[in-house]
Amino acid sequence: MKNKEELRRILKRINGKGYKAYKDTTGSYDFSDYVFIIDHVQGDPFALPSRVRVRVSLKRSAIPLEIFHTKSREIALRDYLARQFSKSVGKYSKGVRGVGKSGLLSIDTPGQEVLEISAVSVDNESIEVRFTLGLPAFGRSVAGKEAETIIFAEIPRIVLDSLFYENIDNDSMSKHVKTVEDADFIRSELKTLGLKAFVPDGAILPRASGADNCPLLSKHVVQFTSPDSLRVEINLPNAGKITGMGIPAGITLIAGGGYHGKSTLLKALELGVYNHIPGDGREFTVTVANAVKIRSEDGRRVSNVDVSPFINNLPLGLDTTSFSTEDASGSTSQAANILEAVEIGTDLLLIDEDTSATNFMIRDRRMQELVSKDKEPVTPFIDKMRQLRDEFGVSVVLVMGGSGDYFDVADIVICMDEYLSVDVTEKAKEIAGKYKNGRKAEGGPDFGALKKRFPVKSGFDPSRGKSDAKIVARGLKSIDFGNYNIDLGAVEQIVDSSQTRAIGMAIYYALNKYINGARSLGEIIQLVMRDISDHGLDILTKFPTGDMATFRGQELACAINRLRTLKIS
Ligand code: ADP
Ligand code: MG
């Protein structure tokens, strides 16, 4: 490690020289309060900014060990520090100066969810923060003086302000880690309680807008209130006793009039696989970790999925036990989405009528009369959900305001009424007894077999042009994998583009390490997730990067399943 004065000398020496001279600054420098590391210098002022790190010893920072002595707390602290660092950048960085990204300081900052991120790590020795710095230039020449200001004046202030215990708002940090710990506690309690999800009394579920995940702050917000019949009590390690609605294993229907808050409740359950920051309103709205949102997704590619539990007798005699298409329909895509989710392993499917194919959900008595079963390839979900529950232990929460036929197969019916939830199970069963739906159950007595699929290496080509591997995440919902685009537009439980980036790299990792035609997709996903859990996200990249966040095996599988070149042996 070099002394920081060495870095100052280098900057003075290269001032005004060609931009490439910045390469000389690569290395580690002792700033006494912390170590400053320049990992990778950008090629020019317009390229992706340079990758840098600071490492503060825990002794100097003085953040007490008990703040992060559990894994939950550690993840929460890392998330908290990233947010603080970002705020301090806002306070102390003068921002862009010079051309391109000159002077731009930036750290990957999470949204409403608390994810395990690669931007910050902590252990018993030190805190490491990874961020990017646009090394400044005038024209194509090194702006040495400006670089010196950023590195010797701005960054030290940011580090001091955000990473030293004495300058951190202790109450808010403590609340952050305790909230996340409590949410994880609820998730771990669900099993003991026989529940698949929990929504606390007092939760604020609606969001500010369709494009803004912050809580809706308005005097018209109705706080969530559990029906008495479903109310459970949980004793949290930090917040103490809370009550709320427990959604038990089985089939839960959410009925109610349009605009009464059905989809808002389901959305909160979808994102309940993640923890949320204090003040979000959904802090303790928690779902089993492997819950999967299912929707229709016409146009997606499907590779060799056995969709025969739902789809049979397709026109032209197309095989549905190993069904492939470049352009799935609404119903076939929804069937494939369910079977792929169950293949990877899920305890809970979350389905909203708003994003479902009608003919996948509903086939009523009259339609059964008009179109006989041998002319209708689709066996509707209503005839399959009990088999899913009984044969595979898969529960379902289904938003259904449009068809009372579902009363027959539901275990619980909740009605949303002006944003309040009411348990109407008895009434719904009474109605089902009084007005028979007259349907004939379709699709046979069993769900049907679940088939494993074995991806082969030749179905993955990450190369583009001269590069052996070019994998670029484009925002939240799109990954360029070599020359092919993976469209994740309908994968609704990805919440952060840093997850998308990590998923892209994880496909490449799986390809190099585990995909061999002999391992099933389920096994491959399990192995990759185990490696990440054991060794961290850094195993996915050659160099340390600060822009990845953890994701679930389900979403990794979603990305692989949507690769248009995927081949199954
Ligand atoms: P549904 O699916 O029943 O048609 P939504 O869940 O889409 O209804 O909600 C309709 C509207 O009501 C949305 O704009 C949503 O933000 C708002 N909303 C949902 N829940 C609440 C609530 N608890 N308090 C106030 N507004 C809410
Ligand atoms: Mg809706």
Side-chain angles (χ1 to χ4, degrees), residues 254-301:
I254 303 174
Y259 221 71
H260 279 248
K262 303 183 297 297
S263 296
T264 302
L265 172 57
L266 193 81
K267 191 89 219 160
L269 296 177
E270 289 165 31
L271 298 182
V273 300
Y274 299 115
N275 297 329
H276 293 92
I277 56 174
D280 174 84
R282 302 166 298 181
E283 292 92 316
F284 299 141
T285 298
V286 167
T287 314
V288 282
N290 61 11
V292 181
K293 169 68 181 289
I294 297 293
R295 53 169 292 168
S296 75
E297 188 183 351
D298 55 330
R300 69 158 282 196
R301 182 178 202 257

Side-chain angles (χ1 to χ4, degrees), residues 99-113:
V99 298
K101 305 200 172 78
S102 288
L104 191 68
L105 281 171
S106 158
I107 181 166
D108 190 30
T109 24
Q112 293 300 107
E113 285 77 23

Side-chain angles (χ1 to χ4, degrees), residues 209-492:
S209 83
D212 182 350
N213 283 323
C214 294
L216 177 61
L217 300 172
S218 132
K219 59 179 192 313
H220 302 299
V221 170
V222 179
Q223 297 189 358
F224 185 82
T225 318
S226 172
D228 289 338
S229 54
L230 295 175
R231 187 170 280 123
V232 294
E233 190 180 295
I234 301 181
N235 217 341
L236 301 179
N238 302 301
K241 197 177 87 178
I242 58 163
T243 59
M245 176 172 77
I247 296 184
I251 297 167
T252 303
L253 216 61
I254 303 174
Y259 221 71
H260 279 248
K262 303 183 297 297
S263 296
T264 302
L265 172 57
L266 193 81
K267 191 89 219 160
L269 296 177
E270 289 165 31
L271 298 182
V273 300
Y274 299 115
N275 297 329
H276 293 92
I277 56 174
D280 174 84
R282 302 166 298 181
E283 292 92 316
F284 299 141
T285 298
V286 167
T287 314
V288 282
N290 61 11
V292 181
K293 169 68 181 289
I294 297 293
R295 53 169 292 168
S296 75
E297 188 183 351
D298 55 330
R300 69 158 282 196
R301 182 178 202 257
V302 176
S303 307
N304 304 86
V305 177
D306 182 351
V307 292
S308 64
F310 294 105
I311 317 281
N312 286 287
N313 305 323
L314 281 177
L316 312 176
L318 285 175
D319 181 11
T320 62
T321 62
S322 180
F323 176 71
S324 300
T325 176
E326 292 296 331
D327 184 7
S329 68
S331 54
T332 50
S333 63
Q334 195 160 358
N337 284 346
I338 290 177
L339 290 154
E340 288 169 349
V342 175
E343 179 184 4
I344 300 306
T346 178
D347 292 339
L348 177 64
L349 301 179
L350 301 164
I351 304 181
D352 193 331
E353 61 184 348
D354 292 352
T355 47
S356 291
T358 307
N359 67 332
F360 184 76
M361 303 307 291
I362 299 168
R363 191 163 130 78
D364 65 11
R365 166 75 200 266
R366 288 177 173 171
M367 201 51 80
Q368 285 183 328
E369 272 317 310
L370 184 70
V371 180
S372 64
K373 185 61 195 153
D374 56 325
K375 292 281 177 209
E376 172 53 270
V378 180
T379 298
F381 190 59
I382 188 169
D383 291 320
K384 287 292 174 185
M385 61 197 310
R386 283 197 156 173
Q387 297 165 352
L388 264 179
R389 178 194 65 188
D390 299 339
E391 294 171 38
F392 301 103
V394 177
S395 297
V396 179
V397 176
L398 171 65
V399 169
M400 180 54 76
S403 168
D405 286 3
Y406 273 88
F407 294 169
D408 290 312
V409 291
D411 297 312
I412 288 177
V413 184
I414 297 165
C415 183
M416 295 306 288
D417 183 358
E418 309 218 342
Y419 311 125
L420 291 174
S421 56
V422 187
D423 182 351
V424 295
T425 310
E426 264 177 47
K427 193 166 174 203
K429 293 290 176 192
E430 212 180 284
I431 292 168
K434 199 159 148 198
Y435 305 101
K436 298 282 176 208
N437 70 27
R439 291 187 73 250
K440 293 188 275 291
E442 300 180 350
D446 306 313
F447 183 79
L450 291 179
K451 228 190 265 160
K452 286 184 180 167
R453 292 178 304 144
F454 299 84
V456 295
K457 255 188 146 71
S458 64
F460 298 79
D461 181 6
S463 71
R464 193 199 307 167
K466 278 179 281 181
S467 177
D468 285 345
K470 187 96 184 151
I471 299 153
V472 186
R474 306 217 169 270
L476 194 60
K477 297 294 179 113
S478 172
I479 301 170
D480 286 348
F481 192 85
N483 286 315
Y484 294 89
N485 178 264
I486 302 174
D487 180 1
L488 299 170
V491 180
E492 297 184 355

